[in-house]
Amino acid sequence: MNKIFHLSSDEVAEVSKHPSHAWDLYPATKIDLWEIPQLQTDKNNLWDVEFIPCYTSQYFCVLVRIDQTGLESKDRAYQNGGGFVFQLAQPRTDNELTDVFTVFGASPLEKREELQWTRLFVYYKDIDLAFTKVEDGEVVIETDDNYTYMLVMAPWHYAEPLGPFLTKKIGFTIIVPQPIEAEYPCQYYSLIPGWKTMAEQELRDYVVYELEEPEPPSSGLEIEFSLGSKHYRQGVPGVVRLAVNSSYTDGIDVTIGLGEKDLAAKNFDLSEGLNTFSVEFDTGLLDTGRTQLQLNLSTSEGAYSHQLELLIIDDERISKIREKVSRLSQEGSDDMMRRESLVTLEWLLESLYSELDSLKPHQEPQQIENLITRLDEGLRRVESGESLFIKGERLRLGLRSKQDSTLQPYSLYIPPTFEEGKSGLIVLLHGSATDDERTLEKAEPLEKYDKTRMIIVAPLARGESHYYLPDEAIQEIVEITEKMMEMFSVPKKKVVLVGFSMGGFGVLNTFFHRPDLYHNLVLLSGSMKAYEEMEVVKDFTTEESLRQLAKTNLIIFHGSEDLNVRYEELKPVHERLKELNPDIEIHIAEGVGHRQPPEWQEKMIEIFERIDRYA
């Protein structure tokens, strides 16, 4: 069985100062080159890549050694060179693909201030993109005459439900990218060949690793605890699991309390080394809503206390909400805004039940609380004769798709300065591995768009990876555009289609689907080709496509160091567009990779103001 090695306190101190010393302590695993048939490889300059996985009571640690010196952090180093990604998954008993995992991205060599968060971050959490900075992790770099060593220490709490003592096995994998001179400028060393580790909305494969039994601590106790679930229905038995790594033999008293009242009390024998226990409690004694419990442990050597927070789901409240939404939907309305507000209530209710069905025990129930609050507030507004289309607030609403009658979300911002029949509409398409909600969050503060007077609407792309390639995704963009134009009397000449990265491809795909509807196009680091299985399936760089694009009001933004949508490949395309139409605006940010620097937003606001004023 593959091992994840336990680091003693002395070993942690040594390895965190000199990562190279780990190669004197533990055997390393070599990672082979993943040969992708559709891509070039550079076998004349292969790297020798090794890793060692280990852990402490606080951290999961990955050490990587590369037989290179002078390594640099490329744009998105975790994808393109100078970093790596690794995955901690909960293995299934049948070792099949799992949906419980955390993928970490690491760019240890990154020096740019604005990208320091990429030195260590949560890339994916349980199939969903996270892009969450690891605030309390550690990253250490060491070089000698032959090698670069990288140590990443990720706190266990980012990898829930996995932990240092209660977890016995972990589904692990790692990918290390190497930059090369080729059309696709990267090759990969991977424990498991395949893209799943870096793909959104995908189950994950893994290699099973066993955590080495820890040595007893030099003194005191090391304690790990875990609620059986962070959310319960009232009356379902609750459970707390405990692991105690002890330096001594004793008895241990465990109580779970609510205020002055004990819900459970147990006594266990404590032996030197690792001990595991579980304690049940009655959730029927708890009120619905958020509850704080006290976990108390005591031995002859001392006492320990920890807070436990859980949600007791209020099924009666949810049932009443459902009855109200059903009644209002049956009543219907001739007013378009009220009718669309009712659709949003239906979408919120469907989302709530979907969340209740799919939420895993280790996942935070915050979204359930948010949806209930939104439904209560939405019902209050609709019942009092108001709509959910509120000016000056970032909104997430629901659409009943004409294509298949499914309920689909979209995000919306209506500036207080908007004038019906006069102001314009920005249709904002998100990039891959994100969604409509995060896209508007990233644009905040939205008040800076108030001077444009334009509504911003952001659809959620359809498909497994929220991709703007399927026809239904394009048709839905058109449907939302036309719905906003009708509802708010937006002139067609003041509609702007904007997209970043994959969303930039969505701009082109939507335009060529409905060139009569869209004239103002903005590409932000936008791809002009679509790929499936590394093969081009749509190409908007053909002469015919460029001639049609040259007739639009096209504005392009791109970074000179972009490796995900390579600027060098697009440069001749940009030059040809300028030949066809010198009025096309092309803004190249020198030294910028696949991201949006702040000055782009400022420039776009100027462009939107110009369209609103003169179109």
Side-chain angles (χ1 to χ4, degrees), residues 570-583:
L570 287 175
K571 194 173 180 179
V573 177
H574 293 171
E575 290 170 354
R576 179 57 181 150
L577 283 167
K578 288 291 281 186
E579 288 174 3
L580 292 168
N581 181 357
D583 292 332

Side-chain angles (χ1 to χ4, degrees), residues 142-161:
E142 181 187 3
T143 58
D144 59 23
D145 292 339
N146 300 304
Y147 297 101
T148 296
Y149 301 86
M150 305 179 192
L151 166 63
V152 166
M153 303 173 69
W156 278 108
H157 63 85
Y158 287 97
E160 286 186 305

Side-chain angles (χ1 to χ4, degrees), residues 500-527:
F500 171 71
S501 187
M502 180 270 288
F505 171 81
V507 166
L508 298 176
N509 205 16
T510 307
F511 164 73
F512 283 102
H513 181 74
R514 283 292 303 275
D516 61 304
L517 186 59
Y518 303 99
H519 177 68
N520 304 298
L521 311 178
V522 180
L523 305 183
L524 304 164
S525 302
S527 174

Side-chain angles (χ1 to χ4, degrees), residues 26 264 413 429 485 519 593:
Y26 299 109
Y413 178 72
L429 308 185
M485 290 172 67
H519 177 68

